[in-house]
Amino acid sequence: RNEGSRAEALAYGLRAITPLLSGRHDLAASTTTRSASWAIALTPPNRADRYACGLIHEFEHSTLNELQELVPLIRHGQGERFYSPWRNDPRPGVGLLHGVHAWISVTEFWRRELARDPRDRALAFDWARSRAQLRIGAASLAATGLLTEAGAGLLVAAESGVDDFLAQATPEAKLKPVSYTHLRAHETDS
């Protein structure tokens, strides 16, 4: 409803949605594979906004997979793993690249959802948390030293978006510290 051109891209590019079973009604999961671009597997939605966000997130992975076929964005390391604010397990450089690329759209999605309903504390939290994750993920990716020149250009664009997002105030200032507390707890669990 609020996604305009992104919804058009999904309608044009998405080829298959496969349902996943999670075993828990409150656990959302989604995945995309490089060998099946434009196909997404997702758990059934418990909230329409989370389902839409999952579609956008996974679609961005397919987009990046296709872009990497045209131009190398990251060099493969020697098996190094790096902190990722999205996952509990350390990720290879390409995993961080995918996270940053997808999280640009995730953060924009939550910003638009929050603009629709500025008093919704859950949306404010999702937006504040995604902004913080994007900032941390971009910094982690930059520190890998694995980006090609084109990948560094993509990161500059991502960091510009991060700066724009961070410059925008959250509707309730106290939500920002809550999201950073959440991330710090995630970091110590990793």
Side-chain angles (χ1 to χ4, degrees):
R1 111 188 113 208
N2 296 326
E3 291 305 306
S5 63
R6 186 166 289 121
E8 291 174 15
L10 273 165
Y12 177 79
L14 188 60
R15 296 293 175 245
I17 299 175
T18 302
L20 291 176
L21 299 177
S22 74
R24 287 180 40 191
H25 76 285
D26 62 336
L27 180 65
S30 61
T31 188
T32 305
T33 178
R34 190 174 195 171
S35 62
S37 286
W38 314 117
I40 297 172
L42 294 143
T43 53
N46 61 358
R47 281 182 35 192
D49 59 353
R50 296 212 181 276
Y51 192 70
C53 186
L55 284 172
I56 290 166
H57 168 201
E58 294 303 336
F59 190 77
E60 291 302 328
H61 289 305
S62 287
T63 302
L64 187 61
N65 283 334
E66 294 299 316
L67 180 58
Q68 288 184 109
E69 291 293 322
L70 299 173
V71 61
L73 299 171
I74 195 160
R75 291 182 294 283
H76 295 285
Q78 303 298 314
E80 304 99 330
R81 300 285 175 162
F82 306 95
Y83 172 72
S84 168
W86 305 286
R87 304 262 311 230
N88 288 330
D89 55 330
R91 305 297 294 152
V94 70
L96 281 177
L97 177 65
H98 269 273
V100 167
H101 181 75
W103 236 255
I104 293 168
S105 293
V106 165
T107 304
E108 176 63 15
F109 173 81
W110 289 122
R111 185 194 65 77
R112 288 182 184 180
E113 287 294 297
L114 183 59
R116 182 183 55 76
D117 188 359
R119 294 183 184 185
D120 187 317
R121 291 180 54 82
L123 292 175
F125 177 80
D126 286 332
W127 186 52
R129 181 182 56 192
S130 67
R131 289 186 324 165
Q133 289 172 312
L134 182 55
R135 181 185 59 78
I136 293 167
S140 187
L141 178 59
T144 68
L146 297 175
L147 292 170
T148 64
E149 186 176 336
L154 186 68
L155 182 61
V156 167
E159 288 172 333
S160 171
V162 170
D163 291 344
D164 290 347
F165 290 136
L166 290 176
Q168 299 171 21
T170 52
E172 296 185 41
K174 61 185 170 186
L175 291 174
K176 188 174 181 181
V178 169
S179 66
Y180 284 102
T181 300
H182 169 81
L183 286 172
R184 279 193 296 277
H186 174 265
E187 190 171 318
T188 59
D189 290 343
S190 297

